[in-house]
Coordinates of all heavy atoms in Angstrom, one line a residue:
M1 N -23.1 176.8 -11.1 CA -23.3 175.3 -11.2 C -23.8 175.0 -12.7 O -24.8 175.6 -13.1 CB -24.3 174.8 -10.1 CG -24.6 173.3 -10.3 SD -25.8 172.7 -9.0 CE -24.7 172.7 -7.5
S2 N -23.1 174.1 -13.2 CA -23.6 173.7 -14.7 C -24.9 173.0 -14.6 O -25.3 172.4 -13.6 CB -22.5 172.9 -15.3 OG -22.5 171.6 -14.8
R3 N -25.6 172.9 -15.8 CA -26.8 172.1 -15.9 C -26.6 170.6 -15.5 O -27.4 170.0 -14.9 CB -27.4 172.2 -17.4 CG -28.0 173.6 -17.7 CD -29.2 173.9 -16.9 NE -30.3 173.2 -17.4 CZ -31.5 172.9 -16.7 NH1 -31.7 173.4 -15.5 NH2 -32.6 172.2 -17.3
S4 N -25.5 170.1 -16.0 CA -25.2 168.7 -15.7 C -25.1 168.4 -14.2 O -25.5 167.5 -13.6 CB -24.0 168.2 -16.4 OG -22.8 168.9 -16.0
Q5 N -24.4 169.4 -13.5 CA -24.3 169.3 -12.0 C -25.7 169.4 -11.3 O -25.9 168.8 -10.3 CB -23.3 170.3 -11.6 CG -21.9 170.1 -12.0 CD -20.9 171.2 -11.6 OE1 -21.4 172.4 -11.6 NE2 -19.6 170.9 -11.2
E6 N -26.4 170.4 -11.8 CA -27.8 170.4 -11.2 C -28.7 169.2 -11.4 O -29.3 168.8 -10.5 CB -28.6 171.6 -12.0 CG -28.0 173.1 -11.7 CD -28.8 174.1 -12.6 OE1 -29.9 173.8 -13.0 OE2 -28.3 175.1 -12.7
F7 N -28.5 168.6 -12.6 CA -29.2 167.3 -12.7 C -28.7 166.2 -11.9 O -29.5 165.4 -11.3 CB -29.3 166.8 -14.2 CG -30.2 167.7 -15.0 CD1 -29.7 168.4 -16.2 CD2 -31.6 167.7 -14.8 CE1 -30.6 169.0 -17.0 CE2 -32.4 168.4 -15.6 CZ -32.0 169.1 -16.7
Q8 N -27.4 166.2 -11.8 CA -26.8 165.2 -10.9 C -27.2 165.4 -9.5 O -27.4 164.4 -8.7 CB -25.2 165.2 -11.1 CG -24.6 163.9 -10.5 CD -25.0 162.6 -11.1 OE1 -25.3 162.5 -12.3 NE2 -25.2 161.6 -10.3
T9 N -27.2 166.6 -9.0 CA -27.6 166.9 -7.6 C -29.1 166.4 -7.4 O -29.4 165.8 -6.4 CB -27.5 168.5 -7.3 OG1 -26.1 168.8 -7.5 CG2 -28.1 168.8 -6.0
K10 N -29.9 166.6 -8.4 CA -31.3 166.2 -8.3 C -31.5 164.7 -8.3 O -32.3 164.1 -7.5 CB -32.2 166.8 -9.4 CG -32.4 168.4 -9.4 CD -33.3 168.7 -10.5 CE -33.4 170.3 -10.5 NZ -34.1 170.8 -11.6
A11 N -30.6 164.0 -9.1 CA -30.5 162.6 -9.0 C -30.2 162.1 -7.7 O -30.9 161.1 -7.2 CB -29.5 162.2 -10.1
R12 N -29.2 162.6 -7.0 CA -28.8 162.3 -5.6 C -29.9 162.5 -4.7 O -30.2 161.6 -3.8 CB -27.4 162.9 -5.2 CG -26.2 162.4 -5.7 CD -25.0 163.0 -5.0 NE -24.8 164.3 -5.4 CZ -24.1 164.7 -6.5 NH1 -23.7 163.7 -7.4 NH2 -23.9 166.0 -6.7
E13 N -30.6 163.6 -4.8 CA -31.6 163.8 -3.8 C -32.8 162.8 -4.0 O -33.3 162.3 -3.0 CB -32.3 165.3 -4.1 CG -31.5 166.4 -3.8 CD -31.9 167.7 -4.2 OE1 -33.1 167.8 -4.8 OE2 -31.1 168.7 -4.1
H14 N -33.2 162.5 -5.2 CA -34.1 161.4 -5.4 C -33.7 160.0 -4.9 O -34.5 159.3 -4.3 CB -34.5 161.3 -7.0 CG -35.4 162.4 -7.4 ND1 -36.7 162.6 -7.0 CD2 -35.1 163.3 -8.3 CE1 -37.1 163.7 -7.6 NE2 -36.2 164.1 -8.4
A15 N -32.4 159.7 -5.1 CA -31.9 158.4 -4.5 C -31.9 158.3 -3.1 O -32.3 157.4 -2.5 CB -30.5 158.2 -5.1
R16 N -31.5 159.5 -2.5 CA -31.5 159.6 -1.0 C -33.0 159.5 -0.5 O -33.2 158.8 0.5 CB -30.9 160.9 -0.5 CG -29.5 161.0 -0.6 CD -28.8 162.2 0.0 NE -27.4 162.3 -0.3 CZ -26.9 163.3 -0.9 NH1 -27.6 164.2 -1.4 NH2 -25.5 163.2 -1.2
N17 N -33.9 160.1 -1.1 CA -35.3 159.9 -0.7 C -35.7 158.5 -0.8 O -36.5 158.0 0.1 CB -36.2 160.8 -1.7 CG -37.6 160.8 -1.2 OD1 -37.9 160.9 -0.1 ND2 -38.6 160.6 -2.2
A18 N -35.3 157.8 -1.9 CA -35.7 156.4 -2.0 C -35.1 155.6 -0.8 O -35.8 154.7 -0.2 CB -35.3 155.8 -3.3
A19 N -33.9 155.8 -0.6 CA -33.2 155.0 0.5 C -33.9 155.3 2.0 O -34.1 154.4 2.7 CB -31.7 155.4 0.6
E20 N -34.3 156.6 2.1 CA -34.9 157.1 3.3 C -36.2 156.3 3.5 O -36.6 155.8 4.6 CB -35.2 158.6 3.4 CG -35.8 159.0 4.7 CD -35.9 160.4 4.8 OE1 -35.4 161.2 4.0 OE2 -36.7 160.9 5.5
K21 N -37.0 156.3 2.4 CA -38.3 155.5 2.6 C -38.1 154.1 2.9 O -38.9 153.5 3.7 CB -39.0 155.7 1.1 CG -39.5 157.1 0.8 CD -40.5 157.6 1.8 CE -40.9 159.0 1.3 NZ -41.8 159.7 2.4
L22 N -37.2 153.5 2.3 CA -36.9 152.0 2.6 C -36.4 151.8 4.0 O -36.8 150.8 4.7 CB -36.0 151.5 1.5 CG -36.6 151.3 0.1 CD1 -35.5 150.8 -0.9 CD2 -37.8 150.5 0.1
R23 N -35.5 152.7 4.4 CA -35.0 152.6 5.8 C -36.2 152.7 6.8 O -36.3 152.0 7.8 CB -34.0 153.6 6.1 CG -32.6 153.3 5.8 CD -31.5 154.1 6.3 NE -31.7 155.5 5.7 CZ -31.1 156.0 4.6 NH1 -30.4 155.3 3.9 NH2 -31.3 157.3 4.3
N24 N -37.1 153.7 6.6 CA -38.2 154.0 7.4 C -39.1 152.7 7.5 O -39.7 152.3 8.4 CB -39.0 155.3 7.1 CG -38.2 156.5 7.4 OD1 -37.4 156.4 8.2 ND2 -38.6 157.5 6.7
A25 N -39.3 152.2 6.3 CA -40.2 150.9 6.2 C -39.5 149.8 6.9 O -40.3 149.0 7.7 CB -40.4 150.5 4.8
A26 N -38.3 149.6 6.8 CA -37.5 148.6 7.6 C -37.6 148.8 9.1 O -37.9 147.8 9.9 CB -36.0 148.5 7.2
K27 N -37.5 150.0 9.5 CA -37.8 150.4 11.0 C -39.2 150.0 11.3 O -39.4 149.4 12.5 CB -37.5 151.8 11.2 CG -37.6 152.1 12.8 CD -36.8 153.4 13.0 CE -37.0 153.8 14.5 NZ -37.5 152.8 15.4
D28 N -40.1 150.3 10.6 CA -41.6 150.0 10.9 C -41.8 148.4 11.1 O -42.4 148.0 12.0 CB -42.4 150.5 9.8 CG -42.8 151.9 9.7 OD1 -42.4 152.6 10.8 OD2 -43.1 152.4 8.7
I29 N -41.0 147.6 10.3 CA -41.1 146.2 10.3 C -40.5 145.7 11.6 O -41.1 145.0 12.4 CB -40.4 145.5 9.1 CG1 -41.2 145.8 7.8 CG2 -40.4 144.0 9.5 CD1 -40.5 145.4 6.6
E30 N -39.3 146.3 11.9 CA -38.7 146.0 13.2 C -39.5 146.3 14.4 O -39.7 145.5 15.4 CB -37.3 146.6 13.4 CG -36.3 146.0 12.4 CD -35.0 146.7 12.4 OE1 -34.9 147.8 13.1 OE2 -33.9 146.3 11.9
D31 N -40.1 147.5 14.4 CA -40.9 148.0 15.5 C -42.1 147.1 15.7 O -42.6 146.8 16.8 CB -41.3 149.4 15.4 CG -40.2 150.4 15.4 OD1 -39.1 150.0 15.9 OD2 -40.3 151.6 15.0
A32 N -42.8 146.7 14.7 CA -44.0 145.9 14.7 C -43.8 144.5 15.2 O -44.6 143.9 15.9 CB -44.7 145.8 13.3
Y33 N -42.6 144.0 15.0 CA -42.3 142.6 15.5 C -41.4 142.6 16.7 O -41.0 141.6 17.1 CB -41.8 141.8 14.4 CG -42.9 141.5 13.2 CD1 -42.9 142.3 12.1 CD2 -43.7 140.5 13.4 CE1 -43.9 142.1 11.2 CE2 -44.7 140.3 12.5 CZ -44.7 141.0 11.4 OH -45.7 140.8 10.4
G34 N -41.2 143.8 17.4 CA -40.4 143.9 18.5 C -41.1 143.2 19.7 O -40.5 142.8 20.6
S35 N -42.4 143.3 19.8 CA -43.2 142.6 20.9 C -44.0 141.6 20.2 O -43.8 141.1 19.1 CB -44.0 143.7 21.6 OG -44.9 144.4 20.6
A36 N -45.2 141.2 20.9 CA -46.0 140.3 20.3 C -47.0 140.8 19.4 O -47.9 141.6 19.7 CB -46.8 139.5 21.5
P37 N -46.7 140.6 18.0 CA -47.5 141.3 17.0 C -48.9 140.7 16.9 O -49.1 139.5 17.2 CB -46.7 141.2 15.8 CG -46.0 140.0 16.0 CD -45.7 139.8 17.4
L38 N -49.8 141.5 16.6 CA -51.2 141.1 16.3 C -51.3 141.0 14.8 O -50.5 141.6 14.1 CB -52.2 142.2 16.8 CG -52.2 142.5 18.3 CD1 -53.1 143.6 18.6 CD2 -52.7 141.2 19.0
P39 N -52.3 140.3 14.3 CA -52.4 140.1 12.9 C -52.7 141.5 12.2 O -52.2 141.8 11.2 CB -53.7 139.3 12.7 CG -53.7 138.4 13.9 CD -53.2 139.4 15.0
S40 N -53.3 142.4 12.9 CA -53.5 143.8 12.4 C -52.2 144.5 12.2 O -52.0 145.3 11.3 CB -54.5 144.6 13.2 OG -54.0 144.7 14.5
D41 N -51.2 144.3 13.1 CA -49.9 144.9 13.0 C -49.2 144.4 11.6 O -48.6 145.2 11.1 CB -49.0 144.5 14.2 CG -49.6 145.1 15.5 OD1 -50.3 146.0 15.4 OD2 -49.2 144.3 16.6
S42 N -49.3 143.1 11.5 CA -48.8 142.7 10.2 C -49.4 143.3 8.9 O -48.7 143.7 8.1 CB -48.9 141.1 10.0 OG -48.2 140.4 11.1
L43 N -50.7 143.4 8.9 CA -51.4 144.0 7.8 C -50.9 145.5 7.6 O -50.7 145.9 6.5 CB -52.9 143.9 8.0 CG -53.7 144.5 6.8 CD1 -53.4 143.8 5.5 CD2 -55.2 144.3 7.1
A44 N -50.8 146.2 8.8 CA -50.4 147.5 8.7 C -49.0 147.7 8.2 O -48.7 148.7 7.4 CB -50.5 148.3 10.1
V45 N -48.1 146.8 8.6 CA -46.8 146.8 8.2 C -46.6 146.5 6.7 O -45.9 147.2 6.0 CB -45.9 145.8 8.9 CG1 -44.5 145.6 8.2 CG2 -45.6 146.3 10.4
L46 N -47.4 145.6 6.2 CA -47.6 145.2 4.8 C -48.0 146.5 3.9 O -47.4 146.8 2.8 CB -48.4 144.1 4.5 CG -47.8 142.7 4.8 CD1 -49.0 141.7 4.7 CD2 -46.7 142.4 3.8
N47 N -48.9 147.2 4.5 CA -49.5 148.3 3.8 C -48.4 149.5 3.7 O -48.1 150.1 2.6 CB -50.7 148.9 4.4 CG -51.9 148.0 4.1 OD1 -52.0 147.4 3.1 ND2 -52.9 148.1 5.0
R48 N -47.7 149.7 4.8 CA -46.7 150.8 4.8 C -45.5 150.3 4.0 O -44.9 151.2 3.3 CB -46.2 151.0 6.3 CG -47.3 151.8 7.0 CD -46.7 152.3 8.4 NE -46.1 151.3 9.3 CZ -46.8 150.8 10.3 NH1 -48.0 151.1 10.6 NH2 -46.2 149.8 10.9
F49 N -45.1 149.1 4.1 CA -44.0 148.6 3.2 C -44.3 148.7 1.7 O -43.5 149.3 1.0 CB -43.7 147.2 3.6 CG -42.4 146.6 2.9 CD1 -41.2 147.2 3.3 CD2 -42.6 145.7 1.9 CE1 -40.0 146.7 2.6 CE2 -41.5 145.4 1.2 CZ -40.2 145.8 1.6
G50 N -45.6 148.3 1.4 CA -45.9 148.5 -0.1 C -45.9 149.9 -0.5 O -45.4 150.2 -1.6
S51 N -46.4 150.8 0.2 CA -46.4 152.3 -0.1 C -45.0 152.8 -0.2 O -44.6 153.5 -1.1 CB -47.1 153.0 1.0 OG -47.1 154.4 0.7
A52 N -44.1 152.4 0.8 CA -42.7 152.9 0.8 C -42.0 152.2 -0.5 O -41.2 153.0 -1.0 CB -41.9 152.3 2.0
V53 N -42.2 151.0 -0.8 CA -41.6 150.5 -2.1 C -42.0 151.2 -3.3 O -41.2 151.6 -4.1 CB -41.8 148.9 -2.1 CG1 -41.4 148.4 -3.5 CG2 -41.1 148.2 -1.1
G54 N -43.3 151.5 -3.4 CA -43.8 152.2 -4.6 C -43.2 153.5 -4.6 O -42.7 154.0 -5.7
T55 N -43.1 154.3 -3.5 CA -42.5 155.6 -3.5 C -41.1 155.6 -3.9 O -40.4 156.4 -4.6 CB -42.8 156.2 -2.1 OG1 -44.1 156.4 -1.8 CG2 -42.1 157.7 -2.0
A56 N -40.4 154.6 -3.3 CA -38.9 154.3 -3.6 C -38.7 154.1 -5.1 O -37.7 154.7 -5.7 CB -38.3 153.2 -2.7
Q57 N -39.5 153.3 -5.6 CA -39.4 153.0 -7.1 C -39.6 154.3 -7.9 O -38.9 154.4 -8.8 CB -40.4 151.9 -7.5 CG -40.0 150.6 -7.1 CD -41.1 149.5 -7.4 OE1 -42.3 149.8 -7.4 NE2 -40.6 148.3 -7.8
A58 N -40.6 155.0 -7.6 CA -40.8 156.3 -8.3 C -39.6 157.3 -8.1 O -39.2 157.9 -9.0 CB -42.1 157.0 -7.8
S59 N -39.0 157.4 -6.9 CA -37.9 158.2 -6.6 C -36.7 157.7 -7.5 O -35.9 158.5 -8.0 CB -37.6 158.2 -5.1 OG -38.5 159.0 -4.4
L60 N -36.6 156.4 -7.5 CA -35.3 155.8 -8.2 C -35.6 156.1 -9.7 O -34.6 156.3 -10.5 CB -35.1 154.4 -8.0 CG -34.6 154.0 -6.7 CD1 -34.4 152.6 -6.5 CD2 -33.1 154.6 -6.5
A61 N -36.8 156.1 -10.2 CA -37.0 156.4 -11.6 C -36.7 157.8 -12.0 O -36.0 158.1 -13.0 CB -38.6 156.1 -11.9
H62 N -37.1 158.7 -11.0 CA -36.7 160.1 -11.2 C -35.2 160.3 -11.2 O -34.6 161.1 -11.9 CB -37.4 161.0 -10.1 CG -38.9 161.2 -10.3 ND1 -39.5 161.8 -11.5 CD2 -39.9 160.8 -9.5 CE1 -40.7 161.8 -11.4 NE2 -41.0 161.2 -10.2
A63 N -34.6 159.6 -10.3 CA -33.1 159.7 -10.1 C -32.4 159.2 -11.4 O -31.5 159.7 -11.8 CB -32.6 158.9 -8.9
T64 N -32.9 158.1 -12.0 CA -32.3 157.5 -13.2 C -32.5 158.6 -14.3 O -31.6 158.9 -15.1 CB -33.0 156.2 -13.6 OG1 -32.9 155.3 -12.6 CG2 -32.5 155.7 -14.9
H65 N -33.6 159.2 -14.5 CA -34.0 160.2 -15.5 C -33.0 161.4 -15.3 O -32.4 161.9 -16.3 CB -35.4 160.7 -15.3 CG -35.9 161.7 -16.5 ND1 -36.3 162.9 -16.1 CD2 -35.7 161.6 -17.8 CE1 -36.7 163.6 -17.2 NE2 -36.2 162.8 -18.2
M66 N -32.9 162.0 -14.1 CA -32.0 163.0 -13.8 C -30.5 162.8 -14.1 O -29.8 163.5 -14.7 CB -32.2 163.5 -12.3 CG -33.4 164.1 -12.0 SD -33.7 165.7 -12.9 CE -35.3 165.3 -13.7
H67 N -30.2 161.5 -13.7 CA -28.8 161.1 -14.1 C -28.5 161.1 -15.6 O -27.5 161.5 -16.1 CB -28.5 159.8 -13.5 CG -27.1 159.3 -13.7 ND1 -26.0 159.9 -13.1 CD2 -26.6 158.4 -14.4 CE1 -24.9 159.3 -13.6 NE2 -25.2 158.3 -14.4
A68 N -29.5 160.5 -16.4 CA -29.4 160.5 -17.8 C -29.3 161.9 -18.4 O -28.5 162.2 -19.2 CB -30.5 159.8 -18.4
L69 N -30.1 162.8 -17.8 CA -30.0 164.2 -18.3 C -28.6 164.8 -17.9 O -28.1 165.5 -18.7 CB -31.2 165.0 -17.7 CG -32.5 164.8 -18.2 CD1 -33.6 165.5 -17.4 CD2 -32.6 165.1 -19.7
A70 N -28.2 164.5 -16.8 CA -26.9 165.0 -16.4 C -25.8 164.5 -17.3 O -24.8 165.3 -17.8 CB -26.5 164.4 -14.9
V71 N -25.8 163.3 -17.7 CA -25.0 162.8 -18.7 C -25.0 163.4 -20.1 O -23.9 163.9 -20.6 CB -25.0 161.2 -18.8 CG1 -24.1 160.6 -20.0 CG2 -24.5 160.5 -17.6
L72 N -26.2 163.7 -20.5 CA -26.5 164.3 -21.8 C -25.9 165.7 -21.7 O -25.2 166.2 -22.7 CB -27.9 164.3 -22.2 CG -28.5 162.9 -22.6 CD1 -30.0 163.0 -22.7 CD2 -27.9 162.5 -23.8
H73 N -26.2 166.4 -20.7 CA -25.7 167.8 -20.6 C -24.3 167.9 -20.4 O -23.6 168.8 -20.9 CB -26.5 168.6 -19.4 CG -27.9 169.0 -19.8 ND1 -28.1 170.2 -20.5 CD2 -29.0 168.4 -19.8 CE1 -29.3 170.4 -20.7 NE2 -30.0 169.3 -20.3
S74 N -23.7 166.9 -19.8 CA -22.2 166.9 -19.5 C -21.5 166.8 -21.0 O -20.6 167.4 -21.2 CB -21.9 165.7 -18.7 OG -20.4 165.7 -18.6
E75 N -22.2 165.9 -21.8 CA -21.5 165.8 -23.2 C -21.7 167.1 -24.0 O -20.8 167.5 -24.7 CB -22.2 164.6 -23.9 CG -21.9 163.2 -23.3 CD -20.4 163.0 -23.3 OE1 -19.7 163.3 -24.4 OE2 -19.8 162.6 -22.3
R76 N -22.9 167.7 -23.8 CA -23.0 169.0 -24.5 C -22.1 170.1 -24.1 O -21.6 170.9 -24.8 CB -24.5 169.5 -24.3 CG -25.5 168.9 -25.1 CD -26.8 169.6 -25.0 NE -27.9 168.9 -25.7 CZ -29.2 169.2 -25.4 NH1 -29.6 170.1 -24.6 NH2 -30.1 168.6 -26.1
E77 N -21.8 170.1 -22.8 CA -21.0 171.1 -22.1 C -19.6 170.9 -22.7 O -18.9 171.9 -22.8 CB -21.1 171.1 -20.6 CG -22.4 171.6 -20.1 CD -22.7 171.2 -18.6 OE1 -21.8 170.5 -18.0 OE2 -23.7 171.5 -18.2
K78 N -19.2 169.6 -22.9 CA -17.9 169.3 -23.4 C -17.7 169.8 -24.8 O -16.6 170.3 -25.2 CB -17.5 167.8 -23.4 CG -17.4 167.3 -22.0 CD -17.1 165.7 -22.1 CE -17.1 165.1 -20.8 NZ -16.9 163.7 -20.9
T79 N -18.7 169.8 -25.6 CA -18.6 170.2 -27.1 C -18.9 171.6 -27.2 O -18.6 172.2 -28.3 CB -19.6 169.3 -27.9 OG1 -20.8 169.6 -27.5 CG2 -19.2 167.8 -27.9
A80 N -19.5 172.3 -26.3 CA -19.8 173.7 -26.4 C -18.7 174.6 -26.3 O -17.7 174.4 -25.8 CB -20.9 174.1 -25.4

């Protein structure tokens, strides 16, 4: 596997991680409001959602970085 492919694989892993965190947060929201929610349920959901969004943003930043490295290495591989 070339370096560009390795970076692209890592980018996909980070992007999938971000999507999984957001899906889990969405499920938490649905679960919390499936019955009669208490105010504490709303606060707990807000905290989990905020954490998931922060983690997803970090994962997407890593994915973007890995993708940029994949593109750069791909160009190097073409000229080498």
Side-chain angles (χ1 to χ4, degrees):
M1 179 181 286
S2 71
R3 288 292 284 160
S4 62
Q5 290 170 327
E6 289 176 24
F7 284 122
Q8 193 60 36
T9 299
K10 288 179 185 178
R12 276 193 290 277
E13 290 171 7
H14 285 294
R16 285 186 188 120
N17 182 43
E20 181 181 344
K21 294 294 182 189
L22 293 174
R23 277 193 296 273
N24 289 342
K27 183 163 179 9
D28 286 346
I29 293 168
E30 289 175 351
D31 291 348
Y33 290 95
S35 59
L38 300 171
S40 61
D41 295 334
S42 294
L43 185 57
V45 168
L46 281 171
N47 286 333
R48 286 192 305 262
F49 185 72
S51 176
V53 167
T55 302
Q57 286 176 322
S59 291
L60 287 175
H62 288 301
T64 302
H65 182 237
M66 291 295 119
H67 181 71
L69 289 173
V71 170
L72 289 172
H73 279 273
S74 176
E75 291 301 314
R76 280 187 185 170
E77 290 162 4
K78 286 178 187 177
T79 60

